Amino acid sequence: MYCHETESYASVWDAIADTPEEAANLRVRSELMDKLIALVEKNGWPQLEAAQRCGVTQPRISDLLRGRISRFSLDALANIATGLGCRVHVELEIA
């Protein structure tokens, strides 16, 4: 009979990232993507309109709306947010 220990993680990002720093980066990118997706959906912007508003291509917006996190850096997400009329606010919490 095979027996193994189950590892537990604080978040999915901790489980898939190689380092705590990478997990933190994924977590922030995910939160920002979620907010951008909600903004596009709330305003009812078709992908092409959202793309034009922030100066990217429609396929780029499609990647955003599909949650393809690996295709976006924090810089790229901040630029999209700015293009959509938002200001990105950074807040640090002591862990």
Side-chain angles (χ1 to χ4, degrees), residues 57-90:
T57 64
Q58 179 275 324
R60 190 83 169 129
I61 291 297
S62 177
D63 285 342
L64 174 77
L65 297 177
R66 291 174 181 233
R68 295 191 171 157
I69 194 168
S70 65
R71 297 190 181 184
F72 294 91
S73 66
L74 278 173
D75 284 351
L77 292 168
N79 291 339
I80 289 171
T82 300
L84 294 177
C86 297
R87 183 178 71 85
V88 176
H89 172 80
V90 178

Side-chain angles (χ1 to χ4, degrees), residues 5 7 9 14 20 22-25 27 38 62-63 70 73 79 81:
E5 290 186 35
E7 292 185 58
Y9 299 92
D14 293 321
E22 183 183 1
N25 185 284
R27 192 175 303 108
S62 177
D63 285 342
S70 65
S73 66
N79 291 339

Side-chain angles (χ1 to χ4, degrees), residues 20-58:
E21 295 81 7
E22 183 183 1
N25 185 284
L26 286 166
R27 192 175 303 108
V28 172
R29 285 165 39 206
S30 172
E31 289 174 13
L32 188 49
M33 285 181 78
D34 286 347
K35 291 181 185 223
L36 292 171
I37 291 166
L39 179 66
V40 169
E41 291 175 349
K42 175 184 170 199
N43 285 288
W45 293 322
Q47 289 185 15
L48 186 57
E49 182 178 349
Q52 290 169 339
R53 286 178 176 272
C54 55
V56 299
T57 64
Q58 179 275 324

